[in-house]
Amino acid sequence: MATTEKTALNARLIQRTEVAPGLLIVQVAPEGWELPEFRPGQYTVLALPGSAPRCEGSDSEANERDPAKLIKRAYSITSSTVGRDYLEFYLTLVRSGELTPRLFALGVGDALYLGPKITGMFTLESVPEDQHVMLFATGTGLAPYMSMIRSSLAEHRHRRVAIVHGAYHSWDLGYRAELATLARVCPHLTYLPLVSETADEPVPWRGLTGFCQDVWTSGVIDERWGFRPTPENTHAFLCGHPGMIQGMLELLKESGFVEHSKKSPGQIHLEKYW
Ligand SMILES: Cc1cc2nc3c(=O)[nH]c(=O)nc-3n(C[C@H](O)[C@H](O)[C@H](O)COP(=O)(O)OP(=O)(O)OC[C@H]3O[C@@H](n4cnc5c(N)ncnc54)[C@H](O)[C@@H]3O)c2cc1C
């Protein structure tokens, strides 16, 4: 890589955990600078230059990239806001993508660019203290919720929190052990992992099946909480596959929930990855 690129690479990969093929948890530490304060649910930018190699199994690029130009993308932070030695991210490989095949080729100790500005409105700040929260995710859409849970679960013991995490296969359910353990020790956390492609499971999947929308319509959360989540008592967060976001949005609106915006407060909060 040329000298100009090296000066731009201001961080190092300090841990790399493969959850399943095409799913990675990475920890990135700033080099020679301090991470700013941030709020759980926010995101920053990761980047690599066009000269960075692509991982095995990714598609080859039709057009050559400018070797010096940084390819930048937004990623939600999964780590707690308390410890700030590094930031953690949960990444899915887009085989035809520009950046993710390069991120997946990184090893521990490799340099990359970490955006020093952390931003985003997908946080619990606009949720009143006395409201419960339902966090719906598919795939790496779980990322912002991990930061919320790790940062503030212990502070709000009166608040019910339900995490609904959908994946094709049980082995794609990143953070499953951590969330299952937290749900066992914190009764106010309900963890609902669900799998859609059950025929592929090596041993029969005994948990919930289908999509996030099925969890909502079947009333599993009502049963687990002992009451019906309504716009009066609960806020809903949606992050992940655009189909899930659209489907959940329609169902929640039918139940009287309203999409939140800065100008007009509501109970549905969205983060669209693409
Ligand atoms: C606020 C925000 C936060 C984000 N946080 C995360 C995160 O925590 N983890 C993460 O993996 N991605 C996250 N993304 C998506 C990320 O920014 C990139 O778009 C993604 O990594 C693909 O980059 P790429 O350069 O490899 O693909 P590109 O060459 O940019 O191709 C983009 C295409 O990839 C597909 N795509 C993008 N994201 C995904 C995905 N997560 N799963 C499946 N297909 C996808 C879509 O078809 C999209 O049109 C976030 C995006 C936003 C806007």
Side-chain angles (χ1 to χ4, degrees):
M1 291 177 204
T3 328
T4 47
E5 297 153 27
K6 270 193 182 158
T7 53
L9 303 184
N10 60 358
R12 296 229 172 236
L13 198 85
I14 58 161
Q15 198 180 64
R16 180 188 197 285
T17 310
E18 191 173 326
V19 174
L23 269 182
L24 207 56
I25 295 172
V26 294
Q27 292 176 355
V28 180
E31 207 172 25
W33 56 284
E34 295 291 318
L35 289 172
E37 281 189 16
F38 65 98
R39 286 174 281 137
Q42 291 192 304
Y43 64 89
T44 186
V45 159
L46 294 177
L48 282 167
S51 59
R54 294 168 69 84
C55 67
E56 254 180 55
S58 60
D59 302 346
S60 51
E61 277 174 325
N63 302 315
E64 262 200 27
R65 301 278 156 223
D66 178 342
K69 194 171 173 215
L70 284 180
I71 305 163
K72 295 186 177 183
R73 297 287 183 270
Y75 292 97
S76 302
I77 297 163
T78 63
S79 40
S80 156
T81 52
V82 181
R84 294 218 306 277
D85 292 340
Y86 62 83
L87 296 179
E88 187 181 272
F89 302 93
Y90 184 30
L91 311 175
T92 194
L93 174 65
V94 177
R95 286 177 205 285
S96 59
E98 281 188 57
L99 181 62
T100 51
R102 291 176 166 87
L103 290 174
F104 273 67
L106 292 176
V108 169
D110 285 347
L112 71 162
Y113 174 82
L114 175 65
K117 189 169 168 245
I118 301 178
T119 184
M121 306 296 292
F122 193 66
T123 69
L124 294 166
E125 278 197 339
S126 51
V127 181
E129 283 282 318
D130 62 346
Q131 299 281 298
H132 307 293
V133 289
M134 303 183 291
L135 310 172
F136 292 93
T138 57
T140 52
L142 182 71
Y145 307 149
M146 288 312 300
S147 184
M148 292 175 187
I149 293 291
R150 287 166 159 181
S151 308
S152 63
L153 184 67
E155 285 167 27
H156 300 279
R157 289 184 180 272
H158 58 281
R159 168 182 283 171
R160 294 282 189 147
V161 178
I163 294 200
V164 182
H165 187 203
Y168 291 120
H169 307 114
S170 60
W171 55 90
D172 298 327
L173 288 166
Y175 298 98
R176 185 175 162 201
E178 180 175 336
L179 289 171
T181 307
L182 278 173
R184 272 197 292 273
V185 297
C186 303
H188 58 300
L189 176 67
T190 306
Y191 171 49
L192 300 170
L194 70 147
V195 161
S196 58
E197 304 299 316
T198 48
D200 300 339
E201 292 295 314
V203 293
W205 170 255
R206 293 189 296 173
L208 298 169
T209 58
F211 300 101
C212 291
Q213 294 90 311
D214 301 318
V215 171
W216 174 247
T217 49
S218 64
V220 180
I221 300 175
D222 317 23
E223 254 172 54
R224 298 289 289 272
W225 282 5
F227 60 90
R228 175 87 182 146
T230 65
E232 287 70 43
N233 61 25
T234 303
H235 279 230
F237 286 70
L238 311 176
C239 187
H241 195 282
M244 181 279 280
I245 294 185
Q246 191 51 39
M248 281 304 305
L249 200 52
E250 285 166 18
L251 289 172
L252 289 167
K253 283 183 174 172
E254 278 170 24
S255 299
F257 288 81
V258 172
E259 197 174 333
H260 177 84
S261 73
K262 229 178 177 181
K263 281 192 186 151
S264 130
Q267 312 82 17
I268 310 175
H269 309 257
L270 313 178
E271 187 77 288
K272 290 184 179 166
Y273 280 2
W274 78 98

